[in-house]
Amino acid sequence: MDSQVRKYGYARTESEDQGMGVRKGPWTIDEDSLLAQYITIHGEGHWNTAARRAGLNRTGKSCRLRWLNYLRPNVRRGNLTLEEQLLILQLHSRLGNRWSKIAQQLPGRTDNEIKNYWRTRVQKQAKQLKCDVNSKQFRDTMRCVWIPQLSEKIRAESESHMDQLTTSPPSYCSSQIDIPVAASESGSDLFDPNFIPDISVSSALSDALDAQASPWSDLTDYQNPPCGQYYSDSMQNGSGSCPENDSGSWGWGWCQDGVDMQAMEQEGYGFIGGGESLESLWNEEN
DNA sequence: AATGTATTCAACCGCCAAGGT
DNA sequence: CACCTTGGCGGTTGAATACAT
């Protein structure tokens, strides 16, 4: 009995025991092996056929899901990096719950994983803040505060590493992080130069936010090295300003005219600065 | 140590679109 | 044109695990 079966406490469904229907529930190591062997030889696709010919008493859908989310080579497991989290926030602000599209920009990550992240982490934040995750209030905060602050955190971390490594550039800038080249090479509109965010911020807002204490300032337990290249490239190409620009916080480029941040605060946007709740968004696993 | 509660994430479900007959 | 099969996607569930009391 493998660990997965143990985890869920059962090895087969009632219907299977009765000799009818297909297996459901957790996959066994043997099933994984059968499916992986079959796909290695015959390739992906034709999932119903694969299920039958591999000797799996599973639906094609189940086989496909198991392959894509778990067995497929290059599936990245483990915690999402800060960069990945930032990218998810950015992409979600543009694409909404189109998890597969978002996942395409995060090599090795599955739509299921990203969806789970959003539901367990981001929606939790919204819930704690007592606002709907789809509300304008929450989206404004995401775009005008959280995303810029997270990117600033990444930038600051990058600079910190650069200071420490004076003899050569940090290796993570070119190799340790998977650069989602698909966004730029596939003609994706990920960073559409014509994209105009539906919210914006005034210069007064920028001043007000610049005056805020950074919620990251006392955070030192970063474990995920940053990589400014992708963000720099994509931002220069698109909607935001560059992380290296004069303002030092490219994310503000997403927020131009129109949002009265003081009014936001007065109207219950008291969480715009982030605070402990926001920190927990990306610090629980970092 | 025991119990209750919250969180995580693998897997399933239902719907839809595309393609074939 | 209608029907069927298949693949893909987003939403939801539920067991295991982590954490709090």
Side-chain angles (χ1 to χ4, degrees), chain A residues 85-106:
Chain A
Q85 293 176 58
L86 172 61
L87 196 52
I88 290 170
L89 297 183
Q90 292 173 332
L91 288 166
H92 189 277
S93 73
R94 290 209 52 209
L95 300 171
N97 295 356
R98 298 167 72 180
W99 309 118
S100 63
K101 296 291 183 189
I102 295 172
Q104 286 173 9
Q105 311 302 331
L106 289 136

PDB file of all heavy atoms in Angstrom, chain A residues 85-106:
ATOM      1  N   GLN A  85       4.775  34.442  -7.465  1.00  0.00           N
ATOM      2  CA  GLN A  85       3.595  35.019  -6.828  1.00  0.00           C
ATOM      3  C   GLN A  85       3.244  36.369  -7.448  1.00  0.00           C
ATOM      4  O   GLN A  85       2.078  36.670  -7.706  1.00  0.00           O
ATOM      5  CB  GLN A  85       3.827  35.157  -5.326  1.00  0.00           C
ATOM      6  CG  GLN A  85       3.945  33.830  -4.607  1.00  0.00           C
ATOM      7  CD  GLN A  85       4.272  34.008  -3.133  1.00  0.00           C
ATOM      8  OE1 GLN A  85       3.548  34.654  -2.403  1.00  0.00           O
ATOM      9  NE2 GLN A  85       5.382  33.440  -2.695  1.00  0.00           N
ATOM     10  N   LEU A  86       4.293  37.161  -7.692  1.00  0.00           N
ATOM     11  CA  LEU A  86       4.061  38.466  -8.316  1.00  0.00           C
ATOM     12  C   LEU A  86       3.447  38.289  -9.692  1.00  0.00           C
ATOM     13  O   LEU A  86       2.496  38.986 -10.068  1.00  0.00           O
ATOM     14  CB  LEU A  86       5.378  39.233  -8.414  1.00  0.00           C
ATOM     15  CG  LEU A  86       5.339  40.535  -9.205  1.00  0.00           C
ATOM     16  CD1 LEU A  86       4.357  41.516  -8.575  1.00  0.00           C
ATOM     17  CD2 LEU A  86       6.725  41.167  -9.295  1.00  0.00           C
ATOM     18  N   LEU A  87       3.982  37.364 -10.436  1.00  0.00           N
ATOM     19  CA  LEU A  87       3.482  37.132 -11.783  1.00  0.00           C
ATOM     20  C   LEU A  87       2.024  36.676 -11.754  1.00  0.00           C
ATOM     21  O   LEU A  87       1.206  37.086 -12.582  1.00  0.00           O
ATOM     22  CB  LEU A  87       4.356  36.081 -12.480  1.00  0.00           C
ATOM     23  CG  LEU A  87       4.231  35.967 -13.998  1.00  0.00           C
ATOM     24  CD1 LEU A  87       4.409  37.336 -14.654  1.00  0.00           C
ATOM     25  CD2 LEU A  87       5.264  34.987 -14.535  1.00  0.00           C
ATOM     26  N   ILE A  88       1.706  35.860 -10.794  1.00  0.00           N
ATOM     27  CA  ILE A  88       0.322  35.396 -10.674  1.00  0.00           C
ATOM     28  C   ILE A  88      -0.608  36.576 -10.395  1.00  0.00           C
ATOM     29  O   ILE A  88      -1.671  36.701 -10.992  1.00  0.00           O
ATOM     30  CB  ILE A  88       0.206  34.325  -9.574  1.00  0.00           C
ATOM     31  CG1 ILE A  88       0.897  33.033 -10.032  1.00  0.00           C
ATOM     32  CG2 ILE A  88      -1.256  34.051  -9.244  1.00  0.00           C
ATOM     33  CD1 ILE A  88       1.048  32.005  -8.928  1.00  0.00           C
ATOM     34  N   LEU A  89      -0.178  37.431  -9.488  1.00  0.00           N
ATOM     35  CA  LEU A  89      -1.024  38.590  -9.171  1.00  0.00           C
ATOM     36  C   LEU A  89      -1.218  39.463 -10.402  1.00  0.00           C
ATOM     37  O   LEU A  89      -2.332  39.919 -10.704  1.00  0.00           O
ATOM     38  CB  LEU A  89      -0.393  39.417  -8.041  1.00  0.00           C
ATOM     39  CG  LEU A  89      -0.229  38.731  -6.688  1.00  0.00           C
ATOM     40  CD1 LEU A  89       0.338  39.714  -5.670  1.00  0.00           C
ATOM     41  CD2 LEU A  89      -1.528  38.146  -6.195  1.00  0.00           C
ATOM     42  N   GLN A  90      -0.124  39.692 -11.099  1.00  0.00           N
ATOM     43  CA  GLN A  90      -0.200  40.538 -12.300  1.00  0.00           C
ATOM     44  C   GLN A  90      -1.085  39.911 -13.357  1.00  0.00           C
ATOM     45  O   GLN A  90      -1.954  40.572 -13.947  1.00  0.00           O
ATOM     46  CB  GLN A  90       1.210  40.761 -12.857  1.00  0.00           C
ATOM     47  CG  GLN A  90       2.094  41.604 -11.975  1.00  0.00           C
ATOM     48  CD  GLN A  90       3.529  41.656 -12.476  1.00  0.00           C
ATOM     49  OE1 GLN A  90       4.006  40.726 -13.123  1.00  0.00           O
ATOM     50  NE2 GLN A  90       4.226  42.733 -12.180  1.00  0.00           N
ATOM     51  N   LEU A  91      -0.855  38.647 -13.578  1.00  0.00           N
ATOM     52  CA  LEU A  91      -1.614  37.975 -14.632  1.00  0.00           C
ATOM     53  C   LEU A  91      -3.091  37.860 -14.268  1.00  0.00           C
ATOM     54  O   LEU A  91      -3.962  38.023 -15.113  1.00  0.00           O
ATOM     55  CB  LEU A  91      -1.012  36.586 -14.884  1.00  0.00           C
ATOM     56  CG  LEU A  91       0.340  36.594 -15.584  1.00  0.00           C
ATOM     57  CD1 LEU A  91       1.008  35.228 -15.478  1.00  0.00           C
ATOM     58  CD2 LEU A  91       0.182  36.986 -17.041  1.00  0.00           C
ATOM     59  N   HIS A  92      -3.343  37.600 -13.009  1.00  0.00           N
ATOM     60  CA  HIS A  92      -4.739  37.480 -12.612  1.00  0.00           C
ATOM     61  C   HIS A  92      -5.467  38.807 -12.732  1.00  0.00           C
ATOM     62  O   HIS A  92      -6.653  38.843 -13.068  1.00  0.00           O
ATOM     63  CB  HIS A  92      -4.842  36.946 -11.187  1.00  0.00           C
ATOM     64  CG  HIS A  92      -6.258  36.596 -10.795  1.00  0.00           C
ATOM     65  ND1 HIS A  92      -7.147  37.529 -10.334  1.00  0.00           N
ATOM     66  CD2 HIS A  92      -6.942  35.425 -10.859  1.00  0.00           C
ATOM     67  CE1 HIS A  92      -8.313  36.942 -10.082  1.00  0.00           C
ATOM     68  NE2 HIS A  92      -8.229  35.666 -10.406  1.00  0.00           N
ATOM     69  N   SER A  93      -4.739  39.877 -12.485  1.00  0.00           N
ATOM     70  CA  SER A  93      -5.385  41.183 -12.607  1.00  0.00           C
ATOM     71  C   SER A  93      -5.807  41.440 -14.048  1.00  0.00           C
ATOM     72  O   SER A  93      -6.712  42.227 -14.307  1.00  0.00           O
ATOM     73  CB  SER A  93      -4.447  42.283 -12.118  1.00  0.00           C
ATOM     74  OG  SER A  93      -3.397  42.507 -13.034  1.00  0.00           O
ATOM     75  N   ARG A  94      -5.132  40.798 -14.966  1.00  0.00           N
ATOM     76  CA  ARG A  94      -5.451  40.994 -16.373  1.00  0.00           C
ATOM     77  C   ARG A  94      -6.351  39.897 -16.909  1.00  0.00           C
ATOM     78  O   ARG A  94      -7.248  40.151 -17.714  1.00  0.00           O
ATOM     79  CB  ARG A  94      -4.169  41.016 -17.213  1.00  0.00           C
ATOM     80  CG  ARG A  94      -3.326  42.247 -17.003  1.00  0.00           C
ATOM     81  CD  ARG A  94      -2.558  42.541 -18.263  1.00  0.00           C
ATOM     82  NE  ARG A  94      -3.454  42.589 -19.404  1.00  0.00           N
ATOM     83  CZ  ARG A  94      -3.107  42.285 -20.620  1.00  0.00           C
ATOM     84  NH1 ARG A  94      -1.906  41.874 -20.876  1.00  0.00           N
ATOM     85  NH2 ARG A  94      -3.973  42.374 -21.600  1.00  0.00           N
ATOM     86  N   LEU A  95      -6.118  38.689 -16.484  1.00  0.00           N
ATOM     87  CA  LEU A  95      -6.779  37.546 -17.113  1.00  0.00           C
ATOM     88  C   LEU A  95      -7.932  36.988 -16.293  1.00  0.00           C
ATOM     89  O   LEU A  95      -8.724  36.213 -16.818  1.00  0.00           O
ATOM     90  CB  LEU A  95      -5.745  36.431 -17.363  1.00  0.00           C
ATOM     91  CG  LEU A  95      -4.573  36.801 -18.276  1.00  0.00           C
ATOM     92  CD1 LEU A  95      -3.516  35.689 -18.266  1.00  0.00           C
ATOM     93  CD2 LEU A  95      -5.045  37.055 -19.700  1.00  0.00           C
ATOM     94  N   GLY A  96      -7.994  37.370 -15.034  1.00  0.00           N
ATOM     95  CA  GLY A  96      -9.015  36.785 -14.195  1.00  0.00           C
ATOM     96  C   GLY A  96      -8.712  35.313 -13.905  1.00  0.00           C
ATOM     97  O   GLY A  96      -7.550  34.913 -13.895  1.00  0.00           O
ATOM     98  N   ASN A  97      -9.752  34.543 -13.707  1.00  0.00           N
ATOM     99  CA  ASN A  97      -9.562  33.146 -13.294  1.00  0.00           C
ATOM    100  C   ASN A  97      -9.234  32.223 -14.465  1.00  0.00           C
ATOM    101  O   ASN A  97      -9.713  31.098 -14.505  1.00  0.00           O
ATOM    102  CB  ASN A  97     -10.824  32.642 -12.602  1.00  0.00           C
ATOM    103  CG  ASN A  97     -11.113  33.358 -11.313  1.00  0.00           C
ATOM    104  OD1 ASN A  97     -10.325  34.193 -10.867  1.00  0.00           O
ATOM    105  ND2 ASN A  97     -12.223  33.056 -10.709  1.00  0.00           N
ATOM    106  N   ARG A  98      -8.435  32.683 -15.342  1.00  0.00           N
ATOM    107  CA  ARG A  98      -8.038  31.836 -16.472  1.00  0.00           C
ATOM    108  C   ARG A  98      -6.725  31.150 -16.122  1.00  0.00           C
ATOM    109  O   ARG A  98      -5.648  31.513 -16.576  1.00  0.00           O
ATOM    110  CB  ARG A  98      -7.940  32.673 -17.747  1.00  0.00           C
ATOM    111  CG  ARG A  98      -9.282  33.285 -18.135  1.00  0.00           C
ATOM    112  CD  ARG A  98      -9.161  34.349 -19.171  1.00  0.00           C
ATOM    113  NE  ARG A  98      -8.833  33.797 -20.478  1.00  0.00           N
ATOM    114  CZ  ARG A  98      -8.673  34.535 -21.565  1.00  0.00           C
ATOM    115  NH1 ARG A  98      -8.847  35.838 -21.482  1.00  0.00           N
ATOM    116  NH2 ARG A  98      -8.375  33.983 -22.704  1.00  0.00           N
ATOM    117  N   TRP A  99      -6.886  30.152 -15.279  1.00  0.00           N
ATOM    118  CA  TRP A  99      -5.716  29.532 -14.650  1.00  0.00           C
ATOM    119  C   TRP A  99      -4.773  28.906 -15.664  1.00  0.00           C
ATOM    120  O   TRP A  99      -3.558  28.955 -15.495  1.00  0.00           O
ATOM    121  CB  TRP A  99      -6.184  28.497 -13.633  1.00  0.00           C
ATOM    122  CG  TRP A  99      -7.188  29.042 -12.690  1.00  0.00           C
ATOM    123  CD1 TRP A  99      -8.482  28.639 -12.521  1.00  0.00           C
ATOM    124  CD2 TRP A  99      -7.010  30.133 -11.767  1.00  0.00           C
ATOM    125  NE1 TRP A  99      -9.104  29.400 -11.558  1.00  0.00           N
ATOM    126  CE2 TRP A  99      -8.234  30.315 -11.077  1.00  0.00           C
ATOM    127  CE3 TRP A  99      -5.938  30.958 -11.459  1.00  0.00           C
ATOM    128  CZ2 TRP A  99      -8.399  31.292 -10.107  1.00  0.00           C
ATOM    129  CZ3 TRP A  99      -6.114  31.939 -10.490  1.00  0.00           C
ATOM    130  CH2 TRP A  99      -7.330  32.089  -9.821  1.00  0.00           C
ATOM    131  N   SER A 100      -5.311  28.311 -16.673  1.00  0.00           N
ATOM    132  CA  SER A 100      -4.435  27.664 -17.652  1.00  0.00           C
ATOM    133  C   SER A 100      -3.597  28.695 -18.390  1.00  0.00           C
ATOM    134  O   SER A 100      -2.431  28.462 -18.694  1.00  0.00           O
ATOM    135  CB  SER A 100      -5.249  26.835 -18.629  1.00  0.00           C
ATOM    136  OG  SER A 100      -6.110  27.661 -19.374  1.00  0.00           O
ATOM    137  N   LYS A 101      -4.196  29.857 -18.662  1.00  0.00           N
ATOM    138  CA  LYS A 101      -3.435  30.921 -19.320  1.00  0.00           C
ATOM    139  C   LYS A 101      -2.333  31.444 -18.401  1.00  0.00           C
ATOM    140  O   LYS A 101      -1.216  31.709 -18.837  1.00  0.00           O
ATOM    141  CB  LYS A 101      -4.369  32.071 -19.708  1.00  0.00           C
ATOM    142  CG  LYS A 101      -5.411  31.697 -20.738  1.00  0.00           C
ATOM    143  CD  LYS A 101      -4.777  31.432 -22.079  1.00  0.00           C
ATOM    144  CE  LYS A 101      -5.829  31.122 -23.137  1.00  0.00           C
ATOM    145  NZ  LYS A 101      -5.200  30.660 -24.408  1.00  0.00           N
ATOM    146  N   ILE A 102      -2.675  31.597 -17.154  1.00  0.00           N
ATOM    147  CA  ILE A 102      -1.683  32.057 -16.185  1.00  0.00           C
ATOM    148  C   ILE A 102      -0.565  31.029 -16.058  1.00  0.00           C
ATOM    149  O   ILE A 102       0.615  31.365 -16.049  1.00  0.00           O
ATOM    150  CB  ILE A 102      -2.347  32.316 -14.822  1.00  0.00           C
ATOM    151  CG1 ILE A 102      -3.343  33.481 -14.938  1.00  0.00           C
ATOM    152  CG2 ILE A 102      -1.310  32.604 -13.754  1.00  0.00           C
ATOM    153  CD1 ILE A 102      -4.195  33.699 -13.699  1.00  0.00           C
ATOM    154  N   ALA A 103      -0.958  29.769 -16.008  1.00  0.00           N
ATOM    155  CA  ALA A 103       0.037  28.710 -15.842  1.00  0.00           C
ATOM    156  C   ALA A 103       0.999  28.651 -17.018  1.00  0.00           C
ATOM    157  O   ALA A 103       2.168  28.270 -16.856  1.00  0.00           O
ATOM    158  CB  ALA A 103      -0.664  27.368 -15.665  1.00  0.00           C
ATOM    159  N   GLN A 104       0.534  29.040 -18.183  1.00  0.00           N
ATOM    160  CA  GLN A 104       1.398  29.018 -19.360  1.00  0.00           C
ATOM    161  C   GLN A 104       2.609  29.945 -19.188  1.00  0.00           C
ATOM    162  O   GLN A 104       3.643  29.758 -19.826  1.00  0.00           O
ATOM    163  CB  GLN A 104       0.608  29.420 -20.604  1.00  0.00           C
ATOM    164  CG  GLN A 104      -0.337  28.330 -21.093  1.00  0.00           C
ATOM    165  CD  GLN A 104      -1.236  28.811 -22.212  1.00  0.00           C
ATOM    166  OE1 GLN A 104      -1.055  29.908 -22.740  1.00  0.00           O
ATOM    167  NE2 GLN A 104      -2.212  27.996 -22.587  1.00  0.00           N
ATOM    168  N   GLN A 105       2.441  30.952 -18.358  1.00  0.00           N
ATOM    169  CA  GLN A 105       3.528  31.910 -18.158  1.00  0.00           C
ATOM    170  C   GLN A 105       4.432  31.518 -16.993  1.00  0.00           C
ATOM    171  O   GLN A 105       5.390  32.224 -16.682  1.00  0.00           O
ATOM    172  CB  GLN A 105       2.959  33.307 -17.918  1.00  0.00           C
ATOM    173  CG  GLN A 105       1.911  33.724 -18.916  1.00  0.00           C
ATOM    174  CD  GLN A 105       2.428  33.703 -20.348  1.00  0.00           C
ATOM    175  OE1 GLN A 105       3.622  33.895 -20.585  1.00  0.00           O
ATOM    176  NE2 GLN A 105       1.537  33.459 -21.308  1.00  0.00           N
ATOM    177  N   LEU A 106       4.092  30.439 -16.334  1.00  0.00           N
ATOM    178  CA  LEU A 106       4.893  29.973 -15.200  1.00  0.00           C
ATOM    179  C   LEU A 106       5.363  28.551 -15.501  1.00  0.00           C
ATOM    180  O   LEU A 106       4.708  27.586 -15.125  1.00  0.00           O
ATOM    181  CB  LEU A 106       4.064  30.008 -13.921  1.00  0.00           C
ATOM    182  CG  LEU A 106       3.772  31.401 -13.402  1.00  0.00           C
ATOM    183  CD1 LEU A 106       2.341  31.552 -12.969  1.00  0.00           C
ATOM    184  CD2 LEU A 106       4.703  31.726 -12.263  1.00  0.00           C
TER     185      LEU A 106
END
